[in-house]
Amino acid sequence: EIQWLKDQFENEMQELNFSKKQLKRIYCSLLQADLLEQFMSSKFPASKKFGIEGCWSLIPGLIALMSEVSSLGTEYVELGMTHRGRINVLLNLLKRPMHTVLYEFLQKGSSAHGFYGGDVQYHLGAYSHVRYGGQRGEQDEDEEDHKIHLSMCPNPSHLESINPVVMGKVRAKQNFLRDYSRQRVVGVLLHGDASFSGQGVVHETMELSELDAYTVGGMLHIIINNQIGFTTDPRTGRSSVHPTNVAKAVGAPVFHVNGDDVLAVVKACQMAARYRHKYKRDAVINIVCYRKHGHNELDDPKITHPLTYNLIENHPSTLELFTQYLLDHNQITPEEIQTEKEKYLCLCESELSAAKEFQPNAGDLLSANWQGDAVASLGRPFNQTGATLSMLKDVGESISTLPTDFQAHAKVQEVLSKRQKAIRTGEGVDFAFAEALAFGSLMLPFKAGDQAEGKRGKTEDLVQRPMEKNAFLSPMVDHPTVHVRLAGQDVERGTFNQRHAVVIDQTTAARYVPLDHITDTPGGQASFSVCNSSLSEEAALGFEYGYSLENDNALVIWEAQFGDFANNAQAMIDNFIASGEDKWLCQSGLVLLLPHGYEGQGPEHSSARLERYLSLVNDDADRVSGNQQTDTDRIMHMFEELDRDRDGTLSLRQIQEVIGEEQINNVVELQSLEGTQTVSQGQEEYRFRKEDYVRIMLQWLARNTEARFNMSVCNVTTPANYFHVLRRQIHRPYAKPLVLMSPKYLLHHAPAVSPLKHFEVGTHFNRVISDTASVNNLRSGFVDLNPVVPGEAKKVLVCSGKVAYALHHSRKAKRKNDIVLIRLEQLAPFPVGDMITALAPYSNAEVVWVQEEPKNMGAWNYVQPRLTQMLRLLRERGLRVSTQQEVSYVGREPSASTATGSFFVHMAENKQLLEEALA
């Protein structure tokens, strides 16, 4: 590598040879970068733009980089960058229509319609197809050109947080495209000098670069080194001379280049691209430049750096320097300069005029609204989460059987033997086995004809839709295999010695992954990736989030070693996972497994901080049910927006133009209705009447009541429910993150098992489990108490998680037959209907919330107003005799720390909690 770099410098950098056409192209890109900033500042002087001024050469450098990678076979580039220069990159590299950006600066953006929250202009992402031709950027008419799919990820102000997200997207795209050479898809990251050296996530991300489960064949890093961080000097912002020292940790070469030397920047970008192509490793380009203004255009930098900015004011711009260079070398004429300048400024003025008249088209409106999802998913698989018995047995037998010559550890063999017994007897499936069955059943293809007779589910309660036959109405439809990726610290074995997704031969140390061997049929199952990560949280989680964005048909899971380890990734959770859809319309089905439970292990190994995740869910405690009239009004408003010809109907062709013809033609099966014909070649076009459209949308809402919420938070207590909630991530027509307070103690607790029949077709995820529910795995113990009739019950203990088992065992020991347990399996979005149904029979009982966590933590502050609403609704409906107004609380006292460090104090607190709950 060192010799190759030496050769490159001696051969390439000594003589910066460019043809006249190449120089003209470089000049035009630099001119446009400069003029755009001037134009934006003149038209929007009071707006923050975080311009690129001082590092104008970035744009020619990026164009040269794209040309180089395209000539080397790259088809897709994932780009991540912070706010500095983002608008310039959007317009001059990704070629986003300028009027759409100017429209947002005129404060007429789509977020004003209330369809989604949106974000500031300098955080938004974009996607485009850009053609580059000729070797290293020279594009002649007779040369072959190359089209690159350019994707810029949206990014919050947490600067370098985007790094692992982009890396995860690149890895996912490489896997799904089978780009095992790691060349068709390349990742490019733009950094600031202060953040590159100061943010720990940079180091975490670069440490992933050489790991088998994370490598992408090298990321290309470009640092906009303007030698200042907001108002902080490098001498107080870092300990090293250069901001690039972190790259030394992974041996990545660093190309230091003067930002005022445009041709050197272009050459450095080309060389870095070739290095990455040849060695499949990270490369860093450090563009040493300056920042013309303050942190933003409204900030006065002379307050803190008067001398520096006196120098900058008198320093010629990069464009002025390069223009003079070209004039001195007779490579351009003054007339050409004036022509190019006038042409670009004329374009800018024209685009500004267009922006003033611009209105978002139907696609913009529909894509930013749930109704777009509804139309797009008319025929999307909406399977039950249960699996056929034959599939469960096939998967269970395969993953509990090792090759005959494989010497597993005795304890692992014991675990596999128990699983084999459970699958054969149909009893005793524990949490770890339920997880493996969920993975394996998703990884196999499903044919709707395989389902058991009579278990298709009920459709008579559904609103009748205008289509007589539609796959969307069928509970079980065909679906392809689903790729599963599970990553995190020690996930292969499992922190609690429960999973054993990878088994190690005790004599040869060979690895065996049972889920890789479900079937012997070539191509008969999807791939399974289980990856022990580095000891990282923020970068590791960000990587999986990025991975999850690339394919809805993949189950992507990140597991924390202990739940509170996710504290180190809170920025990723807050800024991407919880809010990414609302800010940027980025949908993710990522699953977070956060081990949670109070078992006397101290403050740092007890709580996954459930309260934090509940506070992130956009679930309104005052809105206990949907307002159908409000929904209808919104639906009719959207119909009117789409019905541009005002004929009272909406054609399927109009919808196809909005969401893409392939989506409709590939997934929706329409049959003729009275007065209409099926959409097909040469036939009359099908048209929705307004009432039909409203019925379709109300139907979608009925089956997707949780689609308007940003994510789900669950604390499941049965293996069967764990199985269903994992499969639910795939088998519903929208993607939402799932945060699971995953078990620890229950992984090896003998009663915490489910029968196989609770996994079959016809069963489903239960948001609430009461004592009398058929899916209650502790039901027999309740029946043995000879419980009183519901109307005579004294207490209803509502709880979530492991504490339910403690309450059950204590109730059984005390023979309390007038106390009822209700387990809240899904906390958010709050299951209003299910909870009302569970509480209704106990009309005269006191309702008590019980939790292990301190009162200022856990779910209490979230459930208290919602359970109080339930009591009010039951009274209003005449189903509540008790005069109780507020739900009662039983749990630990408020605390600054999550848990005590003393096991004896922990046991005393548990005893007090149980006695108070069952008093």
Side-chain angles (χ1 to χ4, degrees):
E1 293 182 32
I2 294 175
Q3 186 58 50
W4 184 88
L5 288 169
K6 287 181 178 179
D7 292 343
Q8 290 292 304
F9 274 98
E10 291 174 359
N11 298 330
E12 294 286 332
M13 299 300 289
Q14 290 301 315
E15 296 183 9
L16 300 178
N17 292 324
F18 292 91
S19 69
K20 187 170 185 176
K21 181 174 290 187
Q22 288 174 324
L23 290 172
K24 177 72 175 293
R25 190 174 301 279
I26 293 169
Y27 172 78
C28 288
S29 63
L30 182 64
L31 176 73
Q32 291 169 10
D34 190 298
L35 291 181
L36 177 64
E37 299 292 350
Q38 294 183 39
F39 178 81
M40 296 288 286
S41 294
S42 66
K43 300 300 180 181
F44 308 103
S47 297
K48 296 178 182 178
K49 297 168 285 293
F50 296 96
I52 204 174
E53 291 157 296
C55 192
W56 297 276
S57 57
L58 173 69
I59 299 302
L62 279 173
I63 293 173
L65 183 71
M66 299 305 158
S67 298
E68 189 71 28
V69 297
S70 70
S71 70
L72 296 171
T74 297
E75 301 168 37
Y76 302 87
V77 172
E78 291 289 337
L79 181 64
M81 67 178 298
T82 56
H83 48 278
R84 179 75 55 204
R86 193 179 192 90
I87 294 172
N88 213 310
V89 172
L90 280 171
L91 296 179
N92 286 321
L93 182 71
L94 278 81
K95 305 300 182 184
R96 178 176 169 179
M98 189 184 297
H99 65 270
T100 63
V101 174
L102 300 179
Y103 172 81
E104 291 164 359
F105 276 94
L106 292 169
Q107 298 183 353
K108 296 181 180 179
S110 57
S111 60
H113 295 273
F115 295 142
Y116 70 108
D119 203 348
V120 292
Q121 299 93 331
Y122 42 83
H123 287 172
L124 300 178
Y127 178 83
S128 67
H129 302 265
V130 182
R131 288 190 177 274
Y132 293 97
Q135 182 68 15
R136 302 174 191 170
E138 185 171 7
Q139 189 171 23
D140 292 325
E141 292 182 1
D142 58 344
E143 289 181 327
E144 179 185 0
D145 61 358
H146 307 270
K147 182 168 71 174
I148 284 188
H149 304 259
L150 261 176
S151 175
M152 179 192 284
C153 296
N155 185 57
S157 286
H158 284 62
L159 300 178
E160 303 293 339
S161 296
I162 194 64
N163 298 358
V165 177
V166 171
M167 193 173 176
K169 281 173 63 67
V170 171
R171 174 65 181 235
K173 192 165 284 185
Q174 288 174 344
N175 283 4
F176 294 127
L177 292 173
R178 295 179 174 82
D179 177 21
Y180 304 123
S181 67
R182 314 260 180 235
Q183 188 52 46
R184 293 178 63 193
V185 188
V186 171
V188 178
L189 292 171
L190 274 63
H191 314 268
D193 56 316
S195 60
F196 192 77
S197 61
Q199 295 283 306
V201 69
V202 176
H203 175 75
E204 288 186 31
T205 304
M206 296 194 83
E207 284 291 351
L208 297 177
S209 64
E210 300 292 321
L211 304 181
D212 289 343
Y214 295 88
T215 185
V216 295
M219 298 285 288
L220 291 168
H221 304 265
I222 300 177
I223 299 174
I224 302 174
N225 184 1
N226 50 36
Q227 305 178 75
I228 193 170
F230 208 138
T231 65
T232 303
D233 282 327
R235 60 189 173 187
T236 56
R238 60 176 182 262
S239 298
S240 56
V241 175
H242 298 291
T244 54
N245 274 20
V246 65
K248 295 180 179 179
V250 294
V254 179
F255 301 89
H256 301 281
V257 59
N258 179 1
D260 271 344
D261 189 341
V262 184
L263 300 184
V265 171
V266 167
K267 283 293 186 181
C269 289
Q270 293 172 342
M271 192 185 306
R274 291 196 294 274
Y275 173 86
R276 185 259 171 211
H277 174 75
K278 183 173 181 64
Y279 295 106
K280 299 297 185 289
R281 299 185 65 189
D282 284 24
V284 180
I285 304 158
N286 179 28
I287 303 178
V288 182
C289 53
Y290 57 93
R291 190 184 68 197
K292 184 176 180 180
H293 303 293
H295 180 62
N296 60 68
E297 289 77 5
L298 309 182
D299 189 31
D300 185 355
K302 285 190 175 181
I303 294 174
T304 55
H305 294 79
L307 301 182
T308 300
Y309 276 86
N310 283 336
L311 291 174
I312 290 174
E313 280 184 355
N314 297 313
H315 185 71
S317 71
T318 307
L319 178 62
E320 291 171 338
L321 293 171
F322 190 53
T323 301
Q324 190 60 51
Y325 171 85
L326 294 179
L327 289 172
D328 291 345
H329 289 79
N330 298 318
Q331 296 296 318
I332 198 168
T333 66
E335 292 75 20
E336 288 177 302
I337 293 172
Q338 188 62 29
T339 299
E340 292 296 334
K341 186 175 182 178
E342 291 176 355
K343 183 169 68 173
Y344 190 73
L345 287 176
C346 181
L347 171 66
C348 292
E349 291 290 351
S350 173
E351 290 290 308
L352 180 61
S353 298
K356 293 175 181 177
E357 304 298 325
F358 176 68
Q359 289 294 326
N361 59 33
D364 295 328
L365 295 176
L366 199 57
S367 65
N369 188 279
W370 63 264
Q371 293 177 57
D373 291 334
V375 174
S377 65
L378 285 173
R380 183 174 173 176
F382 190 96
N383 276 0
Q384 295 182 16
T385 54
T388 61
L389 181 60
S390 60
M391 177 181 284
L392 291 169
K393 289 195 169 186
D394 288 344
V395 173
E397 285 285 352
S398 299
I399 64 178
S400 60
T401 305
L402 297 175
T404 54
D405 59 346
F406 197 91
Q407 299 296 316
H409 193 283
K411 291 182 179 179
V412 176
Q413 188 59 60
E414 182 183 356
V415 169
L416 296 179
S417 297
K418 287 182 179 179
R419 293 179 181 179
Q420 203 167 62
K421 179 181 178 182
I423 205 69
R424 292 173 181 176
T425 63
E427 299 290 339
V429 178
D430 62 17
F431 272 93
F433 194 23
E435 176 187 84
L437 290 173
F439 294 167
S441 57
L442 286 172
M443 290 163 59
L444 293 178
F446 176 81
K447 298 293 183 183
D450 295 341
Q451 62 191 289
E453 188 66 29
K455 292 187 177 181
R456 289 184 57 82
K458 297 180 179 180
T459 60
E460 57 267 26
D461 295 332
L462 302 178
V463 179
Q464 183 58 46
R465 306 177 71 161
M467 286 78 79
E468 295 178 351
K469 180 181 178 184
N470 191 305
F472 184 67
L473 292 178
S474 301
M476 301 297 283
V477 298
D478 293 358
H479 73 70
T481 59
V482 175
H483 166 60
V484 177
R485 177 180 169 93
L486 169 64
Q489 295 161 15
D490 309 294
V491 297
E492 293 181 359
R493 191 202 74 168
T495 300
F496 309 101
N497 200 27
Q498 86 282 6
R499 181 172 290 121
H500 304 293
V502 177
V503 183
I504 307 299
D505 190 295
Q506 296 300 295
T507 58
T508 66
R511 294 162 55 90
Y512 183 80
V513 182
L515 280 165
D516 280 343
H517 303 278
I518 303 174
T519 175
D520 295 330
T521 304
Q525 67 171 82
S527 61
F528 173 64
S529 300
V530 57
C531 326
N532 283 346
S533 75
S534 64
L535 201 65
S536 158
E537 282 84 32
E538 184 174 4
L541 176 56
F543 186 98
E544 304 310 325
Y545 171 75
Y547 196 102
S548 72
L549 294 174
E550 281 300 311
N551 192 336
D552 282 347
N553 199 46
L555 180 63
V556 184
I557 303 172
W558 179 77
E559 182 177 62
Q561 193 175 74
F562 285 89
D564 58 348
F565 285 21
N567 290 350
N568 292 332
Q570 199 64 42
M572 199 63 63
I573 295 164
D574 290 352
N575 294 294
F576 289 94
I577 296 170
S579 59
E581 181 179 8
D582 192 45
K583 292 191 293 188
W584 312 310
L585 300 175
C586 292
Q587 294 187 339
S588 165
L590 179 65
V591 178
L592 274 64
L593 297 182
L594 308 178
H596 174 83
Y598 281 60
E599 296 152 12
Q601 295 190 55
E604 273 69 59
H605 293 86
S606 297
S607 175
R609 291 290 190 170
L610 170 62
E611 62 278 2
R612 292 182 179 171
Y613 301 95
L614 293 175
S615 72
L616 292 173
V617 180
N618 60 337
D619 183 5
D620 186 355
D622 297 325
R623 181 180 176 179
V624 295
S625 60
N627 186 325
Q628 182 164 340
Q629 185 56 51
T630 300
D631 291 333
T632 302
D633 291 344
R634 290 175 177 172
I635 293 167
M636 294 179 70
H637 172 72
M638 177 59 73
F639 183 91
E640 292 165 2
E641 290 282 354
L642 295 173
D643 182 21
R644 295 299 170 91
D645 55 10
R646 298 292 185 263
D647 66 349
T649 64
L650 183 64
S651 71
L652 189 64
R653 180 60 56 188
Q654 286 175 279
I655 297 176
Q656 288 174 332
E657 291 171 355
V658 170
I659 66 173
E661 184 171 351
E662 306 80 16
Q663 289 180 274
I664 290 289
N665 288 340
N666 288 344
V667 299
V668 178
E669 189 175 2
L670 294 173
Q671 284 196 335
S672 61
L673 297 173
E674 186 176 354
T676 66
Q677 291 190 9
T678 305
V679 177
S680 62
Q681 190 70 28
Q683 289 186 317
E684 183 182 344
E685 194 171 41
Y686 178 89
R687 304 190 71 84
F688 294 97
R689 298 184 299 271
K690 182 183 287 188
E691 55 268 33
D692 292 337
Y693 182 81
V694 171
R695 286 211 310 269
I696 289 174
M697 293 302 154
L698 289 177
Q699 169 64 67
W700 192 89
L701 282 177
R703 297 195 70 170
N704 296 270
T705 55
E706 294 179 2
R708 63 188 176 91
F709 300 105
N710 60 322
M711 64 182 188
S712 299
V713 180
C714 298
N715 193 358
V716 297
T717 59
T718 73
N721 237 14
Y722 183 40
F723 169 88
H724 287 295
V725 80
L726 289 176
R727 285 176 54 86
R728 187 180 72 163
Q729 288 299 100
I730 297 297
H731 292 306
R732 58 180 179 180
Y734 51 86
K736 300 285 179 178
L738 168 64
V739 179
L740 266 175
M741 301 292 110
S742 54
K744 299 183 292 181
Y745 171 77
L746 296 185
L747 293 171
H748 302 290
H749 186 47
V753 293
S754 296
L756 199 59
K757 65 181 181 181
H758 289 173
F759 298 75
E760 291 187 56
V761 173
T763 60
H764 56 85
F765 174 65
N766 291 273
R767 293 166 176 81
V768 175
I769 298 178
S770 64
D771 274 333
T772 57
S774 60
V775 295
N776 178 12
N777 58 339
L778 304 175
R779 189 168 183 263
S780 61
F782 174 68
V783 173
D784 290 345
L785 292 175
N786 191 24
V788 299
V789 296
E792 297 177 6
K794 184 179 72 172
K795 272 187 180 181
V796 175
L797 304 180
V798 185
C799 60
S800 186
K802 177 180 74 72
V803 71
Y805 285 82
L807 290 168
H808 170 79
H809 297 323
S810 185
R811 178 182 62 175
K812 185 176 180 180
K814 295 176 182 292
R815 303 299 299 173
K816 294 278 190 176
N817 68 347
D818 58 353
I819 296 179
V820 178
L821 292 180
I822 294 178
R823 294 183 243 174
L824 188 54
E825 301 282 288
Q826 176 174 297
L827 291 144
F830 193 80
V832 175
D834 291 345
M835 183 55 69
I836 288 179
T837 301
L839 288 173
Y842 310 103
S843 58
N844 206 30
E846 178 190 7
V847 177
V848 181
W849 172 257
V850 184
Q851 67 177 37
E852 296 181 297
E853 301 88 351
K855 192 174 184 179
N856 58 322
M857 302 176 194
W860 168 243
N861 288 323
Y862 176 84
V863 302
Q864 189 271 336
R866 291 164 175 81
L867 289 176
T868 298
Q869 286 273 38
M870 301 302 98
L871 299 182
R872 179 183 61 80
L873 287 173
L874 288 169
R875 284 195 304 273
E876 291 175 354
R877 297 177 186 183
L879 300 174
R880 183 91 178 141
V881 176
S882 171
T883 59
Q884 181 188 10
Q885 299 291 319
E886 298 281 342
V887 64
S888 304
Y889 169 83
V890 171
R892 287 175 166 83
E893 292 297 316
S895 171
S897 176
T898 55
T900 177
S902 166
F903 182 75
F904 299 103
V905 173
H906 164 79
M907 293 302 293
E909 290 175 341
N910 269 1
K911 182 180 179 181
Q912 180 182 348
L913 183 154
L914 295 173
E915 288 179 351
E916 185 178 349
L918 297 169

